[in-house]
Amino acid sequence: MIRIAVDAMGGDHAPREVVHGAVLAAREYGVAIQLVGPPEIVAQDLNRHDRTGLDITLVPAASVVSMEENAKAVVKKQDSSIV
């Protein structure tokens, strides 16, 4: 099975829209999805979906690089969801 890691905190309206897309992809294409981000935040949106039979897991990331931050923030935040 193909496994895809997704930065759950990346993109507009994250994590809500990213999680929704991940659930749709897992259901439609039968792929395994790893959502990377702060588990307590991502789980809130993930729990709103029926995931019966879907292989979707959470990969903890302690921090997030926001859109307002310089790209160099990735170097400083090695535990971020994008890394």
Side-chain angles (χ1 to χ4, degrees):
M1 175 181 287
I2 295 173
R3 181 166 302 279
I4 301 169
V6 178
D7 176 5
M9 304 307 291
D12 294 338
H13 309 290
R16 183 183 72 235
E17 294 301 323
V18 176
V19 169
H20 180 71
V23 170
L24 291 176
R27 186 171 291 126
E28 185 169 336
Y29 300 109
V31 295
I33 304 286
Q34 292 180 313
L35 290 168
V36 185
E40 63 280 357
I41 296 172
V42 178
Q44 289 177 352
D45 287 304
L46 190 55
N47 290 335
R48 293 184 177 131
H49 296 275
D50 176 17
R51 298 170 293 162
T52 305
L54 302 180
D55 187 356
I56 301 176
T57 57
L58 291 176
V59 177
S63 63
V64 174
V65 176
S66 72
M67 294 294 289
E68 293 77 30
E69 290 183 85
N70 186 299
K72 293 180 183 178
V74 173
V75 175
K76 296 178 185 174
K77 294 184 174 182
Q78 289 294 308
D79 60 346
S80 68
S81 58
I82 197 167
V83 174

